[in-house]
Amino acid sequence: MSFLIPLLTGALEGFTEKTKQEDEANAASIQEKLKASFTTRQERKKELETERTAATKVVNSLRGIEFADGPLDNSQLINIATKPKLAESILKKLDDDPEWFKKTNRGFIRQVEGVDPTIDINKHFDSVYRLQKEAAANAETLFAAPENASFLEKRTARKNLMVAKQTAAKLGVSLEDLMSTYKPAASFVSNMGRVDPSALTKPEDFDKMEKRLKSEFVKAQQSGDPEAIAKADANIGRLVILNEKLRLEKKSEAEIQSDMVTDIQKAKSEGTPAGQSKAKNLEALLQQRKVLLQALPTVTAEKTSQSNWITIANRAVSSRMEELIPGKFISTVALDGTITMTPKSIGSTEFQAAMTKAKSEVVNDFTSNGAPKSEFHKNALISIGVGFRDGRPVVGGNVLTTADVEAQKAAAAASAAPAPVPAPTAPVVPASTASGRATPTPALPLPYTPEGQPDTSKLIAGKTYRSSNGGTRKWNGTSWEQ
């Protein structure tokens, strides 16, 4: 039997060498396939990141552009994100014809179905510009040998699994993740890039626009997002001004005054205190219109008349305040056409907040880069009590939100609650001057505009002011106390 030992040894060495070669071949094949899969996935991730960068650039370039009914909402921006050429054409249109945007409603760019207009765009892009696992893989199962496999087949299977795991580890991923199938999550693209060309020539019906913007405002309030609420509220302010412009568009003077009379009658027919209050405010606006036409120049073919712009500004302020504080203010008109508004059954803070907000919205519409768009616009702003400093409009007071006003009411109610009776104290002796008289209540210096007029935009309700001639008066938030 000794002669068989060399023969068996040689056969075993040959078998071992053959098995080693097969193992190396299997390992090379497994490594090649896994690396190819990894490379393909990384390239697709880079493509998605490039697509996201391009989409973000489109969104940033169009964000804030003002159309006739306000800027594009986030759903519309997401819609157009995959259409850079369309975005470029819109930007070119903005350079060539800025006025086109003031006549065009944003509705020509559709919203993405199922995407909320107030959605966070970055978070939305996080969810769509990524690879999504389509089917998970079980590596142990994929590399397992059949149940009836031989010892050598089972050995090879274990060896292949070990090589695969080592390869995946070197690539920085798990073998299960590497062998799973992935697909782009951006199926939303099929719903994007849609536009409504008819909207470019046929503006959105005003009633539909009003319902849409008010619906967006309600959604924003429900979201509790201060930024979304402010944006939606600003859109309603722009809508009010647009409505006042449309009232006068391509109408004769007789038609304009007839419409104003109809509005007065409609308000009276409501049969409510708020309706009667609104009717009185509208009567003041009509009277102002009549006074203006007696003194101002005739309408020219090229521009809207000065009287129209003054009417638009004053009606916009009145209409906005009717929304903010309905039935809580009264308008009166002076002989020169100046309208004065006074609070009715309402605190001066709430009234001033509504008036400042309404005026600020008109200022935003009537100015460009901080300056009036024309002398017509400037005179219209002056007619609603807007002052000017260094050529730029100044609106007095802070623009308060409804929440701010309610908080102030609550604070006032709390301060009005009965306080504990303090223990008796020694009487306070008034400070006296050298002459022995009591020191008068301190008065603030009265601020003046560059034109030398009192600057009421800087006055604080409840404070006493001393004028340049030494006289003192107390400001109640809307007028001087007698």
Side-chain angles (χ1 to χ4, degrees):
M1 294 290 292
S2 60
F3 71 90
L4 292 176
I5 293 177
L7 181 62
L8 291 173
T9 301
L12 185 58
E13 290 177 350
F15 173 77
T16 302
E17 181 63 28
K18 182 179 179 181
T19 302
K20 182 179 180 182
Q21 291 175 356
E22 289 178 352
D23 287 346
E24 290 176 350
N26 286 341
S29 176
I30 291 171
Q31 290 170 350
E32 181 182 357
K33 290 178 180 179
L34 292 179
K35 287 179 180 179
S37 175
F38 180 78
T39 300
T40 299
R41 190 180 303 174
Q42 291 301 106
E43 289 176 349
R44 186 65 187 108
K45 284 183 178 180
K46 288 182 180 179
E47 290 174 3
L48 287 173
E49 189 59 35
T50 300
E51 291 174 12
R52 174 175 181 158
T53 300
T56 301
K57 183 178 180 181
V58 170
V59 168
N60 291 338
S61 67
L62 295 179
R63 192 194 299 273
I65 292 180
E66 294 287 341
F67 289 86
D69 55 343
L72 299 175
D73 63 38
N74 287 357
S75 181
Q76 290 172 306
L77 288 170
I78 290 171
N79 178 357
I80 201 172
T82 57
K83 298 292 181 181
K85 289 186 177 180
L86 178 58
E88 288 176 10
S89 66
I90 292 175
L91 293 173
K92 186 176 186 304
K93 187 72 175 177
L94 180 62
D95 290 335
D96 296 342
D97 184 12
E99 294 297 319
W100 177 81
F101 288 81
K102 300 174 185 178
K103 301 177 290 185
T104 305
N105 294 320
R106 60 180 179 164
F108 83 94
I109 297 176
R110 296 177 179 175
Q111 295 179 335
V112 181
E113 186 177 350
V115 176
D116 192 289
T118 62
I119 193 171
D120 185 305
I121 293 180
N122 284 327
K123 289 183 179 179
H124 183 74
F125 282 176
D126 285 342
S127 66
V128 296
Y129 285 108
R130 63 181 178 84
L131 289 177
Q132 178 177 295
K133 185 178 290 187
E134 187 174 24
N138 187 318
E140 301 285 346
T141 301
L142 291 173
F143 280 92
E147 290 184 5
N148 58 351
S150 66
F151 170 79
L152 290 177
E153 288 174 331
K154 291 180 179 179
R155 172 194 170 281
T156 300
R158 289 193 298 273
K159 191 77 172 179
N160 290 345
L161 177 60
M162 181 180 68
V163 170
K165 286 184 175 180
Q166 290 173 345
T167 302
K170 290 179 180 179
L171 295 173
V173 295
S174 69
L175 181 57
E176 285 74 13
D177 182 64
L178 189 56
M179 297 189 68
S180 299
T181 57
Y182 284 78
K183 67 176 182 179
S187 57
F188 76 105
V189 172
S190 61
N191 290 327
M192 294 174 63
R194 295 181 177 181
V195 297
D196 181 10
S198 64
L200 296 175
T201 54
K202 183 182 179 181
E204 182 180 9
D205 178 80
F206 185 84
D207 290 338
K208 289 183 179 179
M209 187 195 310
E210 183 177 28
K211 289 179 181 178
R212 174 170 59 79
L213 292 179
K214 289 188 175 181
S215 174
E216 290 177 6
F217 180 68
V218 172
K219 287 182 180 179
Q221 284 184 311
Q222 292 172 342
S223 73
D225 182 354
E227 185 176 344
I229 294 172
K231 181 179 178 181
D233 190 40
N235 285 341
I236 291 179
R238 279 188 283 265
L239 183 73
V240 169
I241 298 172
L242 174 62
N243 185 39
E244 299 307 334
K245 291 178 181 178
L246 293 176
R247 287 176 185 270
L248 307 186
E249 191 174 44
K250 298 179 181 178
K251 289 184 179 180
S252 67
E253 184 57 36
E255 290 173 325
I256 291 172
Q257 293 197 25
S258 175
D259 288 346
M260 296 178 79
V261 171
T262 300
D263 290 339
I264 293 170
Q265 294 171 343
K266 183 179 178 180
K268 288 182 176 179
S269 67
E270 293 178 8
T272 63
Q276 297 304 311
S277 176
K278 183 177 181 179
K280 290 182 179 179
N281 293 330
L282 292 172
E283 287 172 347
L285 291 166
L286 175 59
Q287 181 60 30
Q288 180 196 48
R289 176 96 188 167
K290 293 178 179 179
V291 172
L292 290 171
L293 289 173
Q294 295 174 359
L296 294 173
T298 308
V299 179
T300 63
E302 295 80 15
K303 298 179 179 179
T304 304
S305 71
Q306 179 67 81
S307 57
N308 277 358
W309 283 114
I310 290 177
T311 297
I312 289 170
N314 281 269
R315 286 194 61 147
V317 171
S318 182
S319 297
R320 189 65 164 125
M321 290 180 67
E322 287 290 355
E323 288 192 353
L324 297 170
I325 50 172
K328 296 182 179 179
F329 70 98
I330 292 295
S331 300
T332 55
V333 61
L335 293 177
D336 63 354
T338 302
I339 286 183
T340 301
M341 295 179 175
T342 53
K344 173 187 175 184
S345 304
I346 187 177
S348 61
T349 299
E350 188 176 358
F351 170 77
Q352 189 68 34
M355 185 164 64
T356 302
K357 184 179 184 66
K359 290 182 179 181
S360 295
E361 290 172 347
V362 176
V363 168
N364 290 338
D365 188 87
F366 279 31
T367 58
S368 178
N369 296 322
K373 294 177 180 178
S374 70
E375 280 299 309
F376 285 145
H377 291 88
K378 180 177 181 179
N379 292 332
L381 291 175
I382 292 174
S383 76
I384 61 173
V386 174
F388 285 83
R389 186 180 300 121
D390 298 327
R392 293 177 178 270
V394 179
V395 181
N398 296 319
V399 179
L400 305 180
T401 64
T402 303
D404 293 329
V405 173
E406 292 302 320
Q408 290 187 1
K409 285 182 179 178
S415 65
V421 178
T425 59
V428 178
V429 180
S432 56
T433 62
S435 62
R437 292 176 296 177
T439 304
T441 302
L444 300 173
L446 180 65
Y448 288 87
T449 66
E451 292 78 16
Q453 298 298 318
D455 190 350
T456 57
S457 68
K458 294 182 178 180
L459 302 184
I460 302 172
K463 295 293 184 181
T464 301
Y465 291 88
R466 178 176 288 104
S467 64
S468 57
N469 60 12
T472 59
R473 289 186 294 176
K474 188 175 183 180
W475 178 254
N476 65 12
T478 57
S479 60
W480 297 107
E481 293 184 359
Q482 299 298 323

